Amino acid sequence: EYTQEIRSVHYQAQEFWAEDSGIFQDEIYLLSAHGSDLADRHGKLVPTLKLLFHSTYDSDYTVYDHATDIQELIGRLPGGYNFPLLTFNAFATDEMDDTNEDSSIIIGDGYFQFQQALGMDSEGPEYAHAHEFSHHLQFLLGSSVPDTNKSEIVQVVKKSELLADAFSAYFLAHDQGGNMASDEISNVHSVAFSVGDCVKSSVGHHGTPIQRRCATVWGAALAENDEEMDKMDLFEFENRFDKWYERVDDLNESCEHVHSSAASRPYRILFLQVISFLVGGLSVLL
């Protein structure tokens, strides 16, 4: 149903970023994920598991054991292989030298169903693709998740996801990219809000709803405020994002830094007091 729409935005994104990133149309595969794919044990399920979890298997727990566990679980779900949560995901895979797999973007049917339910079945799919494409830009920038302590991993993952949100909104709002109208970009902000989460201590935490919405607001504003409408260099974009991200935990629903607003209030009060004193003094003199 969304094949042509996703293909169109895929080619737009590759053309938009090609000069800075070097990504060409034949370097990223655009793939879909269907619940029925999980029923094809040897043709699709096992190869997919090998791609995603190849480094986690050993003689005690093989990819075939994993496939069996998955299929047995699905058999107990309402709707079986058509259960929407099975494919409620979208992700990017980088090229893996040790497996000879190519880079790809994979979007599941369940994600599309979720956006349909929200009434965002136009901008939702385009945002999903642009977000995952942005992860490929991060691969080129050398971004990676460190193999360190959990708290650091949580922060790196969150920052990566919010940067992808900012990249995607910048592309969708730019007149040389998605060229979305203001009402469409507003819907993108809503879609980003809908996929946020509040489990801040989880390694799968991708940012709160407000943070994800604000990342798209910030990215779109860069495109809209660029007078010459030239595309920003990837490294410059990342540097600006790093500065914005420093206070990401202080954002309110209006995407303003609440601490800075609170800190400036005493100065405003002092200013009014000084003005009142001066006006009072002038009244006495007169």
Side-chain angles (χ1 to χ4, degrees):
E1 182 179 353
Y2 297 98
T3 301
Q4 192 55 45
E5 180 181 355
I6 294 299
R7 281 180 177 172
S8 177
V9 73
H10 187 61
Y11 296 140
Q12 282 183 318
Q14 288 179 315
E15 183 177 353
F16 182 78
W17 294 112
E19 183 177 347
D20 287 334
S21 68
I23 295 177
F24 297 99
Q25 292 183 4
D26 60 348
E27 293 183 348
I28 301 177
Y29 285 91
L30 185 58
L31 306 173
S32 59
H34 312 291
S36 58
D37 293 340
L38 300 173
D40 185 352
R41 179 182 178 88
H42 297 289
K44 294 183 177 180
L45 178 56
V46 168
T48 300
L49 293 176
K50 286 181 177 179
L51 169 64
L52 297 176
F53 308 109
H54 63 283
S55 63
T56 65
Y57 299 123
D58 54 33
S59 58
D60 293 327
Y61 190 76
T62 69
V63 63
Y64 301 103
D65 295 327
H66 195 179
T68 298
D69 289 344
I70 289 173
Q71 291 185 321
E72 287 180 353
L73 174 62
I74 293 174
R76 299 194 294 270
L77 295 175
Y81 289 97
N82 293 320
F83 191 60
L85 288 181
L86 291 175
T87 54
F88 178 39
N89 203 355
F91 54 94
T93 66
D94 195 10
E95 183 177 350
M96 301 177 184
D97 295 333
D98 54 344
T99 60
N100 249 353
E101 298 293 343
D102 293 304
S103 300
S104 66
I105 292 173
I106 305 173
I107 306 177
D109 290 341
Y111 178 86
F112 294 133
Q113 289 177 264
F114 173 69
Q115 295 301 337
Q116 277 184 325
L118 292 177
M120 300 290 180
D121 49 330
S122 177
E123 292 80 16
E126 294 187 23
Y127 158 79
H129 175 276
H131 176 94
E132 299 309 327
F133 191 96
S134 297
H135 283 310
H136 285 283
L137 300 178
Q138 292 174 312
F139 297 152
L140 290 169
L141 289 170
S143 304
S144 62
V145 178
D147 185 16
T148 56
N149 60 75
K150 179 181 176 181
S151 62
E152 184 174 349
I153 293 175
V154 169
Q155 286 301 316
V156 171
V157 169
K158 183 176 78 169
K159 184 177 181 180
S160 171
E161 295 302 324
L162 295 179
L163 176 56
D165 282 337
F167 268 135
S168 61
Y170 177 76
F171 156 71
L172 291 171
H174 204 290
D175 70 344
Q176 296 178 33
N179 196 27
M180 282 188 170
S182 58
D183 59 330
E184 294 174 311
I185 288 297
S186 180
N187 286 338
V188 169
H189 301 331
S190 297
V191 173
F193 182 93
S194 74
V195 294
D197 69 272
C198 297
V199 190
K200 298 181 181 180
S201 61
S202 169
V203 293
H205 177 55
H206 287 184
T208 66
I210 288 177
Q211 289 170 346
R212 299 206 63 171
R213 177 182 178 277
C214 290
T216 63
V217 169
W218 181 84
L222 285 184
E224 294 167 357
N225 294 336
D226 191 343
E227 296 180 359
E228 298 180 0
M229 299 306 288
D230 292 330
K231 286 177 287 187
M232 187 179 299
D233 175 83
L234 288 177
F235 293 98
E236 172 64 19
F237 190 101
E238 185 180 36
N239 288 335
R240 293 194 187 190
F241 175 83
D242 287 343
K243 294 179 181 178
W244 174 83
Y245 184 81
E246 289 175 0
R247 301 186 58 195
V248 72
D249 293 326
D250 297 337
L251 294 169
N252 62 15
E253 293 181 0
S254 300
C255 298
E256 298 174 339
H257 293 110
V258 292
H259 287 179
S260 62
S261 299
S264 64
R265 192 175 300 118
Y267 294 99
R268 291 198 296 269
I269 294 174
L270 178 60
F271 175 77
L272 291 174
Q273 289 174 337
V274 170
I275 293 297
S276 298
F277 175 78
L278 291 174
V279 170
L282 288 174
S283 298
V284 171
L285 291 174
L286 294 174

